[in-house]
Structure formats: C-alpha cells, structure tokens
C-alpha cells in the first residue's frame, strides 16, 4: 500500500512513528511522513493528547483526513498514539469515520490490522526521516512521578527502562546510517535504570554510548532536578562527546506551589542545583 503518516506531538512520538515505518517498509509498503498533501491508500495519524492545543491539533488533523477521504484522496484512516489512549471511547463516538484506533504500545495490533506481523528483529532499527546528522534515542517509556498537572503517567503508564544492550545496539545502527549527534529522550532521563536495574544507570549508559564509533555528540533532554547530581554534572563537564546542555524543568521556586504541583523538590534543592551548574 501507499501509506502516509502524520506525526504530531513530541520527539518520543516521532520515534514511535519511525519504528512503525521500519516495520511497514520491511513489508514492502511505500511510506511518506508528514507529506505536504495527503494522497495515499492509508493515512495513519499519530496523535498527541498532552495539552489542550495538542489535543485540538490532533482533532483538526483527523477532521481534515476525513475531508480528504470524502474527496477521494485517501481510502482508509487509522488514528494511534496518546490522544487515542486517553479518549478512545469518546473519539470513536464523535469520529466514526475513522476506521481504526490504537493507543500507545499497540504497534503489534496496528500491524496485525493491516495483515502484517510485528518483526522483533527490527526492534532496534529505525527508518530515520529526521535530518541525517542527528537522531533521537528513546531510553524509556512512561513516568513514575505523579505531578498534579501532568497526564503522562495516565497515558504512558509507569516508567519502563529499555536495556543498555538494546540502546547501544540502536545507537550503533543510527551511527551506521550517518547519525553524528544522539539526542537522549525520555519523560525523565535521570530516573533511567531504577526500575530495571534497581539503581540509576544513566552514567553507565553514557559511558557505553561514548564508545560508539561515529557518534560525536550526545545531548541530554529532560532530566528532573530532583535527581541531577554532582556525578552527572562532572560527567558532562569532563566528556568530549556529551554536550554542555541539560534540559531541566525548573517550573517554580515557591515551596508552597511546588507542594501543590507535587513536584517532590524544594526551593532550596533547586537553588543548590543551579549553583552546581
């Protein structure tokens, strides 16, 4: 089939779309991601359901997809991802024109609906439509924190770390395709390993990624201030490959507000971290 994929939301969603593309192309399907104009046998929309604007965008894209099918430009519509995970029943009622719905972690079911079996041998390989020199490496799924304002744990579930072996294998594959900068992503990088290895394993992971031939830069996205420590800061400072960059959500400096947000960190701890940086 000719399949178009529209990817919405964050870089973690993009990795999911790339994994889906890998499975479909291996079966001989012709794919495009985020085409300027949809024109295919099947359109797959990877939705986002995190904040209001993202939910609104996902709904609008699905409505446009329905119009495109009415105009004869596509034959079938599938919606997947976070918005579906969160509002599947409501969406099925309001948008009956969409042919099928798949939440997060339902890749195998989506493939089966297309008459294709999931191939585990492709698990650490990805079609890479992002600019060739950089690639995202998703090291975990979900989140164990219960911040009062955040829906991610309800959508993506508890924190699940991928194994170091799988991550190194995928990073080597990306390097073989020309990727020079690895961007590590997760809902919380600093929690990595605690569920699988019973202790933080971000530093051991970074040590192994640094050894990969072809990878010149490693960038860290989204590390909670609670778990950023002097060891991690020293590692970044001393490494020739890890960029002097850390995406940290410092969202408030009022202890009263931090308690209401259930952030699990204090004003004093935040100030201490800033001084270390």
């Amino acid at each position: 089939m000719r399949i178009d994929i529209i990817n919405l939301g964050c870089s973690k969603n993009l990795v999911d779309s790339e994994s889906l593309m890998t499975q479909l192309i291996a079966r001989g399907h012709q794919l495009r991601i985020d085409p300027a104009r949809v024109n295919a046998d099947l359109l797959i929309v990877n939705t986002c359901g995190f904040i209001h604007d993202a939910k609104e965008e996902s709904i609008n894209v699905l409505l446009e997809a329905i119009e495109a099918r009415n105009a004869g430009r596509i034959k079938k519509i599938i919606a997947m991802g976070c918005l579906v995970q969160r509002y599947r029943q409501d969406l099925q009622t309001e948008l009956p024109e969409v042919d099928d719905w798949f939440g997060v972690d339902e890749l195998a079911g989506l493939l089966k609906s297309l008459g294709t079996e999931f191939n585990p041998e492709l698990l650490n390989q990805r079609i890479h439509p992002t600019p060739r020199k950089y690639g995202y490496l998703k090291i975990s799924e979900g989140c164990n924190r219960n911040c009062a304002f955040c829906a991610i744990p309800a959508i993506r579930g508890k924190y699940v770390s991928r194994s170091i072996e799988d991550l190194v294998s995928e990073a080597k594959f990306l390097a073989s395709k020309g990727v020079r900068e690895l961007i590590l992503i997760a809902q919380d990088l600093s929690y990595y390993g605690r569920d699988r290895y019973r202790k933080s394993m971000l530093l051991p992971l970074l040590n192994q990624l640094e050894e990969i031939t072809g990878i010149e830069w490693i960038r860290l996205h989204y590390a909670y201030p609670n778990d950023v420590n002097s060891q991690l800061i020293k590692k970044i400072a001393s490494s020739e490959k890890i960029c002097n960059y850390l995406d940290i959500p410092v969202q408030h400096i009022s202890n009263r507000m931090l308690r209401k947000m259930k952030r699990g960190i204090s004003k004093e701890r935040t100030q201490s971290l800033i001084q270390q940086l």
Side-chain angles (χ1 to χ4, degrees):
M1 288 189 293
R2 292 178 298 112
I3 301 175
D4 285 347
I5 296 178
I6 294 179
N7 185 79
L8 304 172
C10 65
S11 54
K12 294 182 284 293
N13 256 22
L14 178 60
V15 171
D16 293 342
S17 292
E18 291 176 354
S19 298
L20 172 61
M21 292 174 68
T22 303
Q23 295 281 338
L24 292 173
I25 288 176
R27 296 292 183 176
H29 298 293
Q30 302 174 44
L31 267 80
R32 299 185 302 168
I33 189 166
D34 293 330
R37 179 178 172 84
V38 172
N39 185 9
D41 299 314
L42 167 65
L43 172 64
I44 300 174
V45 181
N46 192 357
T47 63
C48 178
F50 184 43
I51 60 175
H52 174 76
D53 288 349
K55 290 185 282 187
E56 190 173 68
E57 180 186 30
S58 294
I59 294 294
N60 288 338
V61 169
L62 289 172
L63 291 172
E64 291 171 3
I66 292 169
E67 291 180 2
R69 186 167 66 178
N70 291 340
R73 300 207 314 272
I74 53 177
K75 298 178 182 178
K76 185 176 181 179
I77 304 169
I78 289 178
M80 62 178 284
C82 293
L83 188 73
V84 180
Q85 183 75 17
R86 193 174 182 185
Y87 300 108
R88 188 191 306 247
Q89 291 185 345
D90 292 339
L91 290 167
Q92 288 174 329
T93 300
E94 296 297 326
L95 300 174
E97 300 90 344
V98 175
D99 296 281
D100 223 335
W101 305 87
F102 296 93
V104 300
D105 297 326
E106 293 188 55
L107 176 59
L110 192 160
L111 293 169
K112 189 174 182 179
S113 76
L114 301 178
T116 299
E117 293 296 323
F118 173 77
N119 184 351
E121 294 182 1
L122 300 176
L123 195 58
N124 297 328
Q125 300 180 24
R126 295 209 324 265
I127 299 298
H128 184 55
T130 49
R132 184 176 177 84
K133 295 301 180 182
Y134 72 84
Y136 295 106
L137 185 66
K138 183 162 69 169
I139 70 172
S140 68
E141 189 60 91
C143 185
N144 280 9
R145 303 186 188 277
N146 292 299
C147 302
F149 55 88
C150 183
I152 292 297
I155 297 172
R156 291 278 178 172
K158 289 188 174 297
Y159 199 101
V160 180
S161 300
R162 296 178 61 194
S163 72
I164 288 180
E165 293 76 16
D166 279 351
L167 292 169
V168 171
S169 174
E170 184 171 321
K172 287 181 177 178
F173 177 82
L174 291 172
S176 74
K177 299 300 179 182
V179 168
R180 294 295 172 260
E181 178 177 345
L182 279 181
I183 303 175
L184 271 59
I185 56 173
Q187 198 59 33
D188 179 4
L189 291 179
S190 48
Y191 195 88
Y192 173 74
R194 293 187 178 183
D195 59 311
R196 177 182 285 270
Y197 302 104
R198 299 294 179 259
K199 61 181 179 179
S200 175
M201 292 295 284
L202 182 58
L203 291 181
L205 172 61
L206 291 173
N207 289 337
Q208 293 203 35
L209 294 177
E210 283 181 304
E211 299 299 318
I212 297 175
T213 301
I215 297 299
E216 299 175 11
W217 303 283
I218 299 172
R219 190 176 298 274
L220 306 181
H221 272 209
Y222 216 73
Y224 272 60
N226 315 45
D227 295 322
V228 174
N229 53 41
S230 59
Q231 288 82 11
L232 178 59
I233 294 171
K234 289 177 181 177
K235 177 65 178 177
I236 295 172
S238 64
S239 174
E240 295 183 358
K241 288 190 175 184
I242 302 175
C243 298
N244 292 327
Y245 171 95
L246 199 56
D247 187 347
I248 303 177
V250 179
Q251 294 169 314
H252 223 287
I253 204 63
S254 161
N255 281 331
R256 182 178 66 86
M257 288 304 301
L258 289 168
R259 284 193 297 269
K260 285 189 173 184
M261 296 166 75
K262 297 182 180 180
R263 290 296 284 171
I265 192 171
S266 66
K267 165 186 175 180
E268 292 74 22
R269 173 70 180 92
T270 302
Q271 291 174 327
S272 174
L273 169 63
I274 292 172
Q275 289 172 357
Q276 291 183 63
L277 293 173

